[in-house]
Amino acid sequence: MLEFSESTYTQRKTLFVEVILPLAISRNYTYRVPFEMNNAVAVGKRVVVQFGKSKLYTAVVAAITEHAPKKYEAKYIIEILDDNPVVTEGQLKFWSWLSEYYMCNEGEVMNAALPSALKLASETKVMLNKDFEYDKASLNDKEYLITEALSIQPELTISDIVKLLGQKTVLPILKTLFEKNIVNISEEVSERYKPRRRTYITINPAYHNQDSLRELFAILEKRAPKQADAVLAYIKLSRQQKIVSKNELIEESGSGESSIKSLIEKEVFFAEDRNVSRLGHDDSEAINEFTLSAAQQLALEEVNRSFGDKDVVLLHGITSSGKTQIYIRLIEQMVATGKQVLYLLPEIALTTHIIERLRMYFGSDIGVYHSRFNDNERVEVWQKVLNNEYKVVLGARSSVFLPFSDLGLIIVDEEHETSYKQYDPAPRYNARDAAIYLANMHQGKVLLGSATPSFETYYNARVHKYGLVNLSERFGGVQLPTIEVVSISEELKRKTMQSHFTSVLMADMALALEAKEQVILFQNRRGYAPVLMCRVCAYTPKCINCDVSLTYHKHSGKLHCHYCGYKEDSPSICPACGSTHLEYKGFGTEKVEDELSVLLPDVKLARMDLDTTRSRNSLQIILNNLEEKKIDILVGTQMVAKGLDFADVTVIGIINADSLLKYPDYRANERSYQMLAQVSGRAGRRDKQGKVVIQTYDPNHRVIKQVIENDYLDLYLTEMEERKSFKYPPYYRIINLDIKHKNAEVLYNQAEYLANELRKHFGDRVIGPEPPLINRIRNYYIKSIMLKFERDTISIVKAKAIVRDVITQFQTTKLSKGSIVQPDVDPY
Ligand code: ADP
Ligand code: ZN
Ligand code: ZN
């Protein structure tokens, strides 16, 4: 049937492909397709191409044409890696939109989108030419060293040889060896992803018959008792489970590998290698029933009604109102229509807790995708989404890049979360906003959920661009926690503070602990003390690479830079004046935990911050311990604010609210409200009302009042006045340009030049250049230029095109040498 069209293909046509390379280059390149690959080449397949002098890369085919590039001669593609496309045309469109919107290159988007196992490593390998005899005496020392090494180890990479010889320039030596025909050089790309395979055992159907089995058994018992054990073990296991793996069999029988091998040789057992899921879930689909409360049911109906005429709906539901259960109902509805669902959560909230909760309803139909997974696991999810095996994906921000084919609904839980925005490297995208575009491409719907929506989202809901549904009671009718604000200065005056804890917080913690309840303490800084200061000359140690003071970590005994990872020993005498009067100022989570352990020696303490959750399972262990009540008091940074749902947490202490409220940023009040309301929301989530203690030097702060009264609308209305008069989002769109250079003076000139060029087009919409809060990171000085565009009257597409032109023009000047310009669209 298709033969006719195939024969038309075989006409000798010259094809070219436009490919996306995984590099920060500003355009796509065109390569020529060798004739014999004409039939195999397709949009979305990966190809190996040479770029630059000798480097090989995996690129993705974005388009096929019959037109040769005009300005350069196209090189041939070297290889096609895929039988079927791994990137869909929809994804390519999405990548292209992201690169336009966020002002970056498609290659950068590709880098973020593809798991690295789908991008191949280019490694030059060198091996001996086995077909050639050579005279060892003719070699010089270095040549000899290389050939000796190659006779022991068949392949060496260029970097191995660099190490071996202890010198950088090894290519000329290799070139001679190559010309003398002694070695072969192969630029080889190796596919790194291998599905995990496991051997499964089945019994020969001949022994399904009881008599023949008994017969077999009688023989084996006499001659090979170990094999008899293996057969017994197989029968036992196969009664309990559908499939039996070789490893399980070895473990169950204690018979050892060789017995099983013999049985396979005798054709008693059959062995079969199969790919197994790395995600380790079984197929038992436990269906767990629940009923929505009246308020939840009403909210669900309103969401559905709202989807009738809106593509995006905001579910504004207070903490513990049971938004997740509403999501589950929405997912069920969508899965029933056969469409896919993406459920986005902030990375940190993606714990087994929520995963298990969803698996209860959706069994193995649900895929999970986040950065704590290794690459092979990510490729597996990628493939299953591509093959439509997963109907529901639960994932962190990067799961917007998965190859969906028919996305009916995206849920963005905690939509206000800053972690949806990727800051470094490019693409500097916001997954919430990207999700709205993505859903639109699929003609699907988006549900944004939050107790404390971002102002952008709330604004869109109030102007009826988005639907808005409110859910203002907690599930089970539990009250929101009571909040008590305690003045630190008062308690200091009365001398009732114990270390960093007010008498109020100490008393509330004591009550909770007595009742066998749990406590969470929030402190917005990690480490022990953020500043070490000399009392004589006020010297403070700073990072050698960045413009920040170093944080003391008691655990390591060192001063750490939180921006570049630099560490040094903490000095015991002041390097500036020689005084020994050094003191620690300020305090982080480590110090809070430390002092608590002195004040409450019998209490089980734990800490949750970046330092304690670096390794793969550490976060999970802390959460399990909290669940199993092996922790009485958990001290943590903003991590503790995110979605934790534990029944016995009744008291929350905010050690110092001022560090949030005083942050120099136009969003400080919005952020502080979100943080305080979210942390408070962890208390009293089941049957008992919780208690929150906010410690502050500024108890009359407006935002604290708004938190106490749970008055989000009041916060929103007052803040929006300021946003309007000071020209900030949501009324204005912001694009930040960070310019970086190693030399401060050069940077100054570059930044001034760029700002002036931009002013020619945009006038006083250009602000700066100004040094950012931290004006040197990793030895690069930084200047920021801020652009503000009226949301309603300026075409942002046109404005971006001009900004792009100005940057490109700047990059052709001599002045731009050594500079990095990073646009950040909708900075967060
Ligand atoms: P939110 O995300 O709005 O903060 P959750 O969805 O985590 O709230 O719900 C809070 C708690 O109430 C959870 O432990 C959840 O299991 C429980 N819950 C919510 N709705 C129901 C329901 N309809 N039936 C049973 N339990 C529910
Ligand atoms: Zn000093
Ligand atoms: Zn640093």
Short mmCIF file of all heavy atoms in Angstrom, two decimals, residues 290-293 296 318-325 357 475 645 685-686, ligand 1:
data_model
loop_
_atom_site.label_atom_id
_atom_site.label_comp_id
_atom_site.label_asym_id
_atom_site.label_seq_id
_atom_site.Cartn_x
_atom_site.Cartn_y
_atom_site.Cartn_z
N PHE A 290 -12.68 8.32 48.64
CA PHE A 290 -12.89 9.44 49.55
C PHE A 290 -14.06 10.25 49.02
O PHE A 290 -14.41 10.14 47.84
CB PHE A 290 -11.64 10.32 49.68
CG PHE A 290 -11.26 11.03 48.41
CD1 PHE A 290 -11.78 12.30 48.14
CD2 PHE A 290 -10.41 10.45 47.49
CE1 PHE A 290 -11.43 12.96 46.96
CE2 PHE A 290 -10.07 11.10 46.32
CZ PHE A 290 -10.58 12.36 46.04
N THR A 291 -14.65 11.05 49.87
CA THR A 291 -15.71 11.95 49.41
C THR A 291 -15.29 13.37 49.69
O THR A 291 -14.72 13.65 50.74
CB THR A 291 -17.05 11.70 50.18
OG1 THR A 291 -16.81 10.72 51.18
CG2 THR A 291 -18.15 11.29 49.26
N LEU A 292 -15.61 14.22 48.76
CA LEU A 292 -15.29 15.62 48.97
C LEU A 292 -16.25 16.21 49.99
O LEU A 292 -17.42 15.83 50.05
CB LEU A 292 -15.41 16.39 47.65
CG LEU A 292 -14.42 16.05 46.53
CD1 LEU A 292 -14.67 16.93 45.32
CD2 LEU A 292 -12.98 16.22 47.00
N SER A 293 -15.76 17.15 50.76
CA SER A 293 -16.66 17.89 51.65
C SER A 293 -17.56 18.77 50.78
O SER A 293 -17.28 18.96 49.59
CB SER A 293 -15.84 18.77 52.60
OG SER A 293 -15.24 19.82 51.85
N GLN A 296 -15.59 21.51 49.23
CA GLN A 296 -14.71 21.03 48.16
C GLN A 296 -15.52 20.72 46.90
O GLN A 296 -15.12 21.06 45.78
CB GLN A 296 -13.97 19.76 48.59
CG GLN A 296 -12.82 20.00 49.56
CD GLN A 296 -12.25 18.69 50.09
OE1 GLN A 296 -12.99 17.76 50.40
NE2 GLN A 296 -10.93 18.63 50.19
N ILE A 318 -7.39 28.26 51.08
CA ILE A 318 -6.50 28.45 52.23
C ILE A 318 -5.73 27.17 52.53
O ILE A 318 -6.07 26.09 52.04
CB ILE A 318 -7.26 28.92 53.49
CG1 ILE A 318 -8.31 27.88 53.90
CG2 ILE A 318 -7.90 30.28 53.24
CD1 ILE A 318 -8.90 28.16 55.27
N THR A 319 -4.66 27.30 53.34
CA THR A 319 -3.84 26.13 53.65
C THR A 319 -4.70 25.05 54.31
O THR A 319 -5.55 25.36 55.15
CB THR A 319 -2.68 26.48 54.60
OG1 THR A 319 -3.22 27.12 55.76
CG2 THR A 319 -1.69 27.43 53.93
N SER A 320 -4.47 23.81 53.88
CA SER A 320 -5.19 22.65 54.42
C SER A 320 -6.69 22.66 54.09
O SER A 320 -7.49 22.04 54.78
CB SER A 320 -4.99 22.53 55.94
OG SER A 320 -5.13 21.19 56.33
N SER A 321 -7.05 23.35 53.02
CA SER A 321 -8.46 23.33 52.61
C SER A 321 -8.74 22.07 51.79
O SER A 321 -9.89 21.78 51.46
CB SER A 321 -8.81 24.59 51.81
OG SER A 321 -7.95 24.72 50.69
N GLY A 322 -7.71 21.32 51.45
CA GLY A 322 -7.92 20.07 50.72
C GLY A 322 -7.89 20.27 49.21
O GLY A 322 -8.67 19.65 48.48
N LYS A 323 -6.99 21.09 48.74
CA LYS A 323 -6.89 21.32 47.29
C LYS A 323 -6.46 20.06 46.55
O LYS A 323 -6.96 19.79 45.46
CB LYS A 323 -5.88 22.46 47.01
CG LYS A 323 -6.35 23.82 47.57
CD LYS A 323 -5.42 24.96 47.19
CE LYS A 323 -4.12 25.00 47.98
NZ LYS A 323 -4.27 25.28 49.42
N THR A 324 -5.59 19.29 47.19
CA THR A 324 -5.10 18.08 46.51
C THR A 324 -6.24 17.14 46.12
O THR A 324 -6.24 16.57 45.03
CB THR A 324 -4.11 17.32 47.42
OG1 THR A 324 -3.29 18.28 48.08
CG2 THR A 324 -3.26 16.37 46.62
N GLN A 325 -7.23 17.00 47.00
CA GLN A 325 -8.35 16.10 46.70
C GLN A 325 -9.14 16.62 45.50
O GLN A 325 -9.65 15.84 44.70
CB GLN A 325 -9.24 15.95 47.93
CG GLN A 325 -9.18 14.56 48.56
CD GLN A 325 -7.83 14.20 49.16
OE1 GLN A 325 -7.03 15.06 49.49
NE2 GLN A 325 -7.57 12.91 49.27
N ARG A 357 0.35 9.33 47.81
CA ARG A 357 -1.04 9.73 47.87
C ARG A 357 -1.68 9.65 46.48
O ARG A 357 -2.80 9.20 46.33
CB ARG A 357 -1.10 11.17 48.40
CG ARG A 357 -2.32 11.46 49.23
CD ARG A 357 -2.09 12.72 50.04
NE ARG A 357 -3.23 13.63 49.93
CZ ARG A 357 -3.19 14.88 50.38
NH1 ARG A 357 -2.09 15.37 50.91
NH2 ARG A 357 -4.25 15.65 50.27
N PHE A 475 -10.28 21.70 55.52
CA PHE A 475 -10.97 20.41 55.49
C PHE A 475 -11.14 19.90 56.91
O PHE A 475 -10.24 20.00 57.73
CB PHE A 475 -10.20 19.36 54.67
CG PHE A 475 -10.89 18.04 54.68
CD1 PHE A 475 -12.00 17.82 53.87
CD2 PHE A 475 -10.47 17.03 55.53
CE1 PHE A 475 -12.67 16.61 53.91
CE2 PHE A 475 -11.14 15.80 55.57
CZ PHE A 475 -12.24 15.61 54.76
N ASP A 645 2.52 18.23 55.36
CA ASP A 645 1.20 17.92 55.89
C ASP A 645 1.35 16.84 56.96
O ASP A 645 1.28 15.66 56.67
CB ASP A 645 0.29 17.45 54.74
CG ASP A 645 -1.12 17.10 55.20
OD1 ASP A 645 -1.63 17.77 56.12
OD2 ASP A 645 -1.71 16.16 54.65
N ARG A 685 -3.29 20.82 61.29
CA ARG A 685 -3.95 20.46 60.04
C ARG A 685 -4.97 19.35 60.21
O ARG A 685 -5.61 18.97 59.23
CB ARG A 685 -2.90 20.08 58.98
CG ARG A 685 -2.09 21.29 58.53
CD ARG A 685 -0.95 20.91 57.63
NE ARG A 685 -1.36 20.42 56.33
CZ ARG A 685 -1.56 21.19 55.27
NH1 ARG A 685 -1.43 22.50 55.37
NH2 ARG A 685 -1.89 20.66 54.11
N ARG A 686 -5.13 18.78 61.41
CA ARG A 686 -6.14 17.73 61.56
C ARG A 686 -7.27 18.14 62.50
O ARG A 686 -8.19 18.81 62.10
CB ARG A 686 -5.51 16.42 62.03
CG ARG A 686 -4.68 15.73 61.00
CD ARG A 686 -5.40 15.36 59.73
NE ARG A 686 -4.52 14.53 58.91
CZ ARG A 686 -3.50 14.99 58.20
NH1 ARG A 686 -3.22 16.28 58.19
NH2 ARG A 686 -2.73 14.17 57.52
P1 ADP B 1 -3.95 21.95 50.91
O1 ADP B 1 -3.17 21.41 49.74
O2 ADP B 1 -5.15 22.73 50.49
O3 ADP B 1 -3.11 22.66 51.92
P2 ADP B 1 -4.40 19.17 51.47
O4 ADP B 1 -4.94 18.80 50.15
O5 ADP B 1 -3.02 18.76 51.81
O6 ADP B 1 -4.57 20.72 51.71
O7 ADP B 1 -5.41 18.59 52.57
C1 ADP B 1 -5.18 18.71 53.95
C2 ADP B 1 -5.45 17.40 54.66
O8 ADP B 1 -6.84 17.06 54.64
C3 ADP B 1 -4.75 16.25 54.00
O9 ADP B 1 -4.18 15.42 54.99
C4 ADP B 1 -5.81 15.51 53.25
O10 ADP B 1 -5.54 14.13 53.15
C5 ADP B 1 -7.05 15.78 54.06
N1 ADP B 1 -8.23 15.83 53.19
C6 ADP B 1 -8.58 16.85 52.37
N2 ADP B 1 -9.73 16.59 51.71
C7 ADP B 1 -10.13 15.35 52.11
C8 ADP B 1 -11.26 14.52 51.80
N3 ADP B 1 -12.22 14.91 50.96
N4 ADP B 1 -11.36 13.32 52.43
C9 ADP B 1 -10.40 12.94 53.30
N5 ADP B 1 -9.30 13.67 53.63
C10 ADP B 1 -9.17 14.88 53.06
#
